[in-house]
Amino acid sequence: MNPVRRPMSLTLRVALLLSAVVAASFLAVGAYLYHTLQRQMAYRDDAELIGKVDQIRRIIAGLPSAAAIAQDQGPLTDTLFGHNDFMLKVSAADGRALLQTSLTSRPLPQVDSVPARRTLTLEDIHDWQPAAGVGRMVRATGMAGNEPVQITLARERSDRLKLLSNYSVDLLLALCGGALLATLLGYVVVRHSMRRLRSVIAKANQIHTSRLNTRLSVQDAPVELREMGEAFNAMLNRLEDGVQRLSGFAADLAHDMRTPVNTLMVETQVALARQRSAEEYQQLLASNLEEYERLARMIENTLFLARVDNAQLALQRVTLDLSAELQRIHDYFEILAEDVGVRLSVDAQPLQADIDPVLLQRAVNNLVANAIRHTPQGGTVALSAHAVPDGIEITVSNSGPGIAPEHLPHIFDRYYRADQARTSGAGLGLSIVRAIMELHGGKISLDSRPGEQTRFSLLFKKI
Ligand SMILES: Nc1ncnc2c1ncn2[C@@H]1O[C@H](COP(=O)(O)OP(=O)(O)O)[C@@H](O)[C@H]1O
Ligand SMILES: [Mg+2]
């Protein structure tokens, strides 16, 4: 089995990256410096060769004849004093050597001699191959009196190259040292900046469902951490909200369930207190049935949402005639609406759509039940279905007080009830409608003008 590899710490990673960047920059600068030095040295060495030949030409020009060169070599050899890497040969027109300092065992190349009248330029300098490295040499003609002599000046550059290679070693060492220092400093600096992150972690560790009101302070944090902190705080807001609603729901659910259970208990106790007639038992059972149904509905709704959450619910789409469906729902609620003095109307085009019939009924039932409940006596609840560019829209609207704007963002949340009076259900109805619409890939929207009208629209997109 592979051992689990821990990812490298961010601090180390940033510090290493930093040192890599520093090392690369050092390397680039070092290479540039090295090449500049190399070029400068080559240029100055060549210029020096020219200078020496000029000097030698002048000395020779001051002599009466070529023979005088051989007689007094002092002034010429003096020009090379202190330069062991130079080699000078002066020969007469017939090739006879007039002067020769220690010459290399390697042959010098046969290069053209610069005529006596022409001044030397850098182009007159040539490479030659001594035992080590590369050398430079020049050949020029000088005039001793009126006799031409051949001046050959060569230079080995091995000491210069050694200097350069020493320099490059020094540069490399400095580079390694600098990169190491940058790594260490980088590590310290990055570690220091990460302190903030640790304080965030410490804060996060304090958070607990019972202490969800803790927030990270983001004002004085650096930008990157501020963004993270804000996202974190927003998440905490949502969590706190959810946990609060959930615990509120637990209390509400317990309360809602207690009422029917208490009723059942009391009625049963009273019934059992003495002998009853069959009719009385029948009555008791009928009344109990209502409470059982209420309880069953609550449990069923909670279960339904849990199943949607766990994606255990499969859609069973059937081609439906929407006007017939709405008419059926209308007929179902008609008596109830009449009882509370609300007029119920249907206005549906003959439309067909592929929708799960059970879920459609459930969604519209929830909306209609809400609408009837929130419509004052004498008001109306209107059901409609019509085609829209995106697909098909079913609306349920009702007159009445409507929903205050502050409730709108939460109205589809689970267990949310705008009116805290316990006349309504558990606050699951609209979240079930929304879940059903999401299952169908549709959308639910709400338009409420308080005091006038509330309209819920279900959009079933074309499939
Ligand atoms: N047609 C409506 N008019 C006014 N308020 C409404 C309407 N429909 C829903 N509401 C508000 O939305 C809340 C949530 O509705 P719902 O999820 O069905 O829960 P419940 O009906 O169980 O209270 C209701 O408590 C109610 O305050
Ligand atoms: Mg409801």
Side-chain angles (χ1 to χ4, degrees), residues 366 369-370 373 424-425 427-430:
N366 281 356
N370 279 351
R373 188 184 304 141
S424 51
L428 290 174
L430 288 180

Side-chain angles (χ1 to χ4, degrees), residues 210-222:
S210 59
R211 282 198 302 269
L212 271 178
N213 54 357
T214 315
R215 292 291 178 274
L216 305 176
S217 52
V218 291
Q219 268 74 33
D220 47 347

Side-chain angles (χ1 to χ4, degrees), residues 141-402:
T141 309
M143 297 299 285
N146 48 15
E147 291 174 60
V149 294
Q150 183 96 293
I151 306 164
T152 305
L153 187 62
R155 177 183 210 177
E156 272 194 29
R157 293 189 74 236
S158 50
D159 61 331
R160 315 295 278 169
L161 297 178
K162 201 153 142 212
L163 198 85
L164 269 176
S165 91
N166 285 346
Y167 177 69
S168 70
V169 170
D170 284 352
L171 257 179
L172 266 173
L173 281 178
L175 189 149
C176 292
L180 203 70
L181 193 68
T183 313
L184 284 177
L185 288 180
Y187 186 81
V188 172
V189 169
V190 175
R191 211 180 136 75
H192 184 76
S193 346
M194 290 285 176
R195 240 184 10 185
R196 294 248 180 212
L197 207 56
R198 277 194 287 279
S199 81
V200 171
I201 293 167
K203 262 276 171 54
N205 278 330
Q206 289 171 10
I207 292 167
H208 189 265
T209 43
S210 59
R211 282 198 302 269
L212 271 178
N213 54 357
T214 315
R215 292 291 178 274
L216 305 176
S217 52
V218 291
Q219 268 74 33
D220 47 347
V223 185
E224 298 86 344
L225 283 188
R226 196 178 313 157
E227 276 174 21
M228 193 185 82
E230 276 162 2
F232 197 81
N233 284 345
M235 181 190 78
L236 282 177
N237 283 341
R238 290 193 298 270
L239 277 181
E240 191 181 13
D241 197 44
V243 168
Q244 234 164 36
R245 251 182 307 121
L246 210 62
S247 58
F249 166 67
D252 285 357
L253 189 68
H255 189 282
D256 286 347
M257 286 174 77
R258 198 172 57 180
T259 315
V261 171
N262 276 347
T263 314
L264 286 169
M265 239 158 55
V266 171
E267 285 186 358
T268 311
Q269 276 164 356
V270 170
L272 286 178
R274 61 181 172 81
Q275 196 68 36
R276 303 278 171 185
S277 69
E279 267 149 55
E280 277 173 318
Y281 282 127
Q282 215 164 18
Q283 233 169 32
L284 171 73
L285 287 179
S287 127
N288 280 4
L289 185 62
E290 249 173 57
E291 300 300 329
Y292 286 133
E293 275 167 358
R294 201 169 130 83
L295 275 173
R297 250 197 326 274
M298 282 164 66
I299 292 166
E300 212 275 323
N301 280 346
T302 311
L303 271 179
F304 177 84
L305 282 172
R307 269 165 57 216
V308 172
D309 277 352
N310 296 328
Q312 284 173 357
L313 209 91
L315 273 188
Q316 317 249 293
R317 288 187 194 262
V318 173
T319 307
L320 297 177
D321 172 4
L322 290 185
S323 72
E325 291 298 319
L326 292 193
Q327 193 58 48
R328 214 196 324 274
I329 293 169
H330 168 273
D331 296 348
Y332 177 78
F333 279 102
E334 201 174 15
I335 313 257
L336 175 72
E338 228 166 64
D339 279 354
V340 294
V342 169
R343 206 174 77 82
L344 194 59
S345 71
V346 179
D347 164 28
Q349 297 167 4
L351 285 169
Q352 300 220 317
D354 292 330
I355 302 176
D356 186 312
V358 178
L359 295 185
L360 173 72
Q361 204 178 27
R362 182 165 197 158
V364 180
N365 278 359
N366 281 356
L367 294 180
V368 175
N370 279 351
I372 293 177
R373 188 184 304 141
H374 293 97
T375 307
Q377 209 173 7
T380 51
V381 172
L383 279 166
S384 88
H386 48 269
V388 290
D390 281 1
I392 280 166
E393 195 172 60
I394 295 177
T395 65
V396 178
S397 31
N398 68 292
S399 57

